[in-house]
Structures are given as structure tokens and as C-alpha cells.
Amino acid sequence: MATSDAAVSTVPGVVKPISDEFMEDTGTGLDFGTRADRMPGRLTSNDHFFVRSHSPTPRIDADRWSLRIGGDGVEAPVTFGYDDLWRAFPLVSVTRTIECAGNRRVLFGREHGRRIAGTPWGRGAVSTAEWTGVRLRDLLEAAGVRPDAHDVMPVALDECRARRPMSLDKALADDTLLALAMNGEPLPPDHGYPARVVVSGWLGAASIKWVGAIEVSRAPIQVPWNTEDYVLIGPEHPAHGPVLGTPINALPVTSLVELDWPARLEPRPQLVRGRSFAGEQRIASVAYSIDRGPWREARLTDSGEAGAWTRWDFSWHPEPGEHTISVRATDDTGRTQPAHVPWNRLGYLNNQILDHPVRVTAKPAS
Ligand SMILES: Nc1nc2c(c(=O)[nH]1)N[C@H]1C(S)=C(S)[C@@H](COP(=O)(O)O)O[C@H]1N2
Ligand SMILES: [Mo]
């Protein structure tokens, strides 16, 4: 069947065509999730990678663009042009998952019986790409990092001037990149062209797109994205001065079943597939339970790498009727998914074990 023109629409604010078949529209106009039941491989194609933007995608001319590394934490500021970046440093490629801290927010709201402001994400705010670029460390060393440097903050060129600091340690890590390419193509406009940061294992908001400057600071940096947004706010997260709760950095263990929600299946033997992600850690094992019965081990089908999701599957021959599939992944430090995630005001880090609803009928309902 040919794809109808109606299935692909042009969205103001987003450059790539958004396909209803592969993407979920959150309704904000700028944020589109990747459909869990349409994930053909380990990597998410550039066309289907989820989009989360606070402002419209800026159109940047790489020939007139430059990147400045400065701030009171460097010896001497340096500026690089786009071509310099491709040539001056070793190019590094890493496969890394990006997940928005607000992924599964709608399910979190339902669980707590409360409405939550913010992009109404289902399960689609997570995707994985092979990123190619230069190590942030190499860039920082070119400017000379002072021994008393504390925080590093990429600053963006989009309308909202997105910015979020990270610790110097994280900025110097082997797999913290200034990415120039995604899955073997120059970064697409919506994903940060000409350059974006990839902060492995941290919340998506740390991976600043459309970077125009990198500031190195001797003092801890406080900006809205680490004092009031992307912060766990709630009874268990006391405020500290201007910081309203606990700022989010590394992500917890999460799992995704590659089925629609609710799912429709036929009563025959089949493989159920999914992926689990543990932020900076590696997935060690994945267990599943049908209808809240005994836990069984799923089979891991990727070797498992810190910072990227690991795929898994199990075989199932369901009886007709209503069922649930629950999945609980564990990482190599023993962290696992909880039965319940305590309330936080902005609905972040919902990594609870979900009961995925499945209806099994002889003829799938249309
Ligand atoms: N400049 C800029 N960078 C940004 C954002 C943004 O709005 N502006 N959104 C952040 C958030 S919240 C997420 S989850 C990721 C999403 O990256 P993607 O759109 O490539 O999937 O980008 C981050 N980087
Ligand atoms: Mo995000």
C-alpha cells in the first residue's frame, strides 16, 4: 500500500515531515514521540527519532556559525568554525539513547489521579542513535580548563536560549560529545544542526541542541533548567535556596514493551519484544510477568552497553481475553524498577513497573 500524503504532515516549527504511522503527536506542536510498536532496529532512524523542542527549530547556516568555549573556568577562550570541528579533533562515534525526563508523564498522572502540566508524553520520548562528533573534553582542553573549574554549560541558539549545566567530571567523560552527525548523516535541523551535546545517560534536557557557546564556570551554575524545570519537586524533595527540589541528572532504569497501548494480539505463539535503558548503567537482566503472575527472565538480544538501551524478548502464547504484561529491568548496580514512583509535581522519572494492557482476540479488532 502506498503511503497516503495525509499520513505525512508538515508541522510549523519542526522541519522534518512527521509521519502518523511512526510518530505520536503530543499536541504541543513541537513535541513528537516515537511509536513503541514501530521500532525496526536498535537505532531509531533520523526521520522517526522523537522530537522535544521548547522553541521552533532554528535554521542555522553552518558557514556563518561558530562555537565559543569561554567563561571564567578556562585559561583562554577559543572559537571554532564548523569545518574546524570536523578536522581539528579525533571524530568519535557512540550509540546512545536519549530519553526525556518527562517520558510516561501521562501514565504517571493517571497513577496519581492528578493532572500534570508539561508535554503529555505517553511512552514515545525515547530514541537511540549513533552519534558522531568530537569529545567535549577535547574542546575544553583547547581552551585550557582551570584547576578550579566546576560546571560546564552548553548554551543554545534557539528562541528559548536553552541551557543546562553539567559537572566538570561529566563534561570530561569519554562519551560526552559535541555531536555533528546522527546515524551517519549531518545532524538534521530538528535534532540540533549544526552541533548538539550528547550527555550519555542523563536526562534529554542536558543534551542541548543548536549549541552556540560552551561556558565553563568556577562557581556552580544555576539556571531555570536546573532550579525549577527538570527538578523533582515534592514532599520527598526538599528545596535548597533557589533550587525547588532535586535536580535530575542520570536517569533511572526504565522499560518499553514494543506494543501499542492498549495492545491487540491474536491467540497464537509469538515473540514479545522490548527495550530497557538504565541511564549511565548497563542493563543486567529483564524479567516479565503475565497477569501479575510469577516473574520470568526475558532473553537479552543486545550485548548491553551503558548509555544505550538493550533489547530483549520472550515468547508467549496468550489465551483470548484481557491480559497484562509487566516488565522489570535491573541494572549492573542492582537498581531496579519500583512498583510505585512517589509523586513529583512535574511528573518526571516515571520508571514504575507498568501493567501493559493487552486484549487477545481471534480476529484483531480494527
Ligand atoms: N536548544 C535546545 N536543546 C534541547 C531542547 C530544546 O528545547 N532546545 N530540548 C531538550 C529536551 S527536553 C530533550 S528531551 C532533548 C530531545 O532531543 P531530540 O529532540 O533530539 O529528541 O533535547 C534537549 N535539548
Ligand atoms: Mo526532555
Side-chain angles (χ1 to χ4, degrees):
M1 242 188 0
T3 308
S4 77
D5 287 350
V8 178
S9 38
T10 309
V11 179
V14 174
V15 172
K16 69 183 180 185
I18 298 294
S19 147
D20 290 340
E21 198 187 328
F22 291 94
M23 308 287 286
E24 285 166 352
D25 186 347
T26 65
T28 65
L30 293 175
D31 308 310
F32 298 87
T34 302
R35 265 179 69 167
D37 60 329
R38 297 292 164 85
M39 294 189 163
R42 182 157 184 248
L43 303 182
T44 316
S45 71
N46 294 356
D47 285 354
H48 303 152
F49 202 97
F50 85 97
V51 180
R52 167 50 171 143
S53 300
H54 294 69
S55 311
T57 294
R59 303 311 302 262
I60 297 173
D61 177 356
D63 291 336
R64 293 191 295 141
W65 171 90
S66 64
L67 175 72
R68 183 175 190 271
I69 323 286
D72 65 10
V74 300
E75 306 285 357
V78 278
T79 300
F80 297 99
Y82 187 63
D83 289 340
D84 305 333
L85 288 175
W86 282 98
R87 291 193 210 112
F89 304 101
L91 287 181
V92 186
S93 294
V94 294
T95 294
R96 290 292 178 267
T97 297
I98 292 187
E99 181 169 32
C100 181
N103 201 18
R104 296 171 295 274
R105 177 178 281 128
V106 165
L107 299 170
F108 188 74
R110 238 176 253 164
E111 172 83 7
H112 287 274
R114 294 162 81 162
R115 275 180 53 99
I116 308 174
T119 304
W121 289 117
R123 299 172 300 138
V126 58
S127 301
T128 299
E130 186 200 56
W131 307 97
T132 298
V134 302
R135 289 201 173 93
L136 195 54
R137 183 174 69 216
D138 289 342
L139 291 172
L140 297 178
E141 280 171 0
V145 178
R146 292 178 51 116
D148 54 353
H150 193 282
D151 278 355
V152 174
M153 182 168 72
V155 179
L157 297 167
D158 51 352
E159 238 170 72
C160 70
R161 293 282 188 263
R163 58 193 66 202
R164 196 180 201 265
M166 68 189 103
S167 58
L168 181 64
D169 275 3
K170 188 64 183 173
L172 298 179
D174 269 351
D175 58 354
T176 299
L177 299 192
L178 182 77
L180 303 170
M182 179 177 180
N183 293 323
E185 309 268 356
L187 279 179
D190 300 312
H191 298 289
Y193 181 84
R196 86 174 297 167
V197 170
V198 173
V199 184
S200 298
W202 282 31
L203 79 168
S207 290
I208 294 293
K209 306 189 275 191
W210 313 297
V211 177
I214 294 175
E215 286 174 17
V216 183
S217 162
R218 286 146 71 183
I221 301 178
Q222 290 183 333
V223 290
W225 277 25
N226 72 343
T227 61
E228 52 193 74
D229 300 324
Y230 303 107
V231 172
L232 297 171
I233 302 170
E236 316 210 338
H237 303 283
H240 307 275
V243 185
L244 301 185
T246 309
I248 301 165
N249 291 319
L251 291 174
V253 196
T254 57
S255 296
L256 176 66
V257 177
E258 290 172 46
L259 292 173
D260 237 340
W261 184 294
R264 305 253 188 251
L265 296 178
E266 290 178 62
R268 54 176 172 77
Q270 54 204 286
L271 269 190
V272 175
R273 284 185 302 267
R275 320 173 175 226
S276 297
F277 176 49
E280 293 178 312
Q281 256 57 60
R282 252 164 34 83
I283 293 294
S285 63
V286 176
Y288 69 95
S289 148
I290 302 296
D291 300 332
R292 295 199 159 209
W295 291 100
R296 297 196 172 84
E297 291 295 301
R299 179 177 72 118
L300 305 188
T301 56
D302 288 319
S303 54
E305 182 184 1
W309 60 23
T310 296
R311 287 175 295 172
W312 46 261
D313 63 29
F314 63 87
S315 45
W316 189 31
H317 186 168
E319 298 291 329
E322 303 288 338
H323 299 283
T324 60
I325 300 173
S326 312
V327 175
R328 183 188 65 198
T330 303
D331 73 17
D332 57 354
T333 67
R335 289 189 313 171
T336 192
Q337 297 182 237
H340 182 76
V341 175
W343 171 252
N344 72 83
R345 195 199 292 167
L346 300 174
Y348 289 132
L349 306 190
N350 176 19
N351 72 330
Q352 84 164 103
I353 300 165
L354 301 171
D355 292 329
H356 194 124
V358 183
R359 168 169 296 176
V360 178
T361 50
K363 277 190 198 140
S366 55

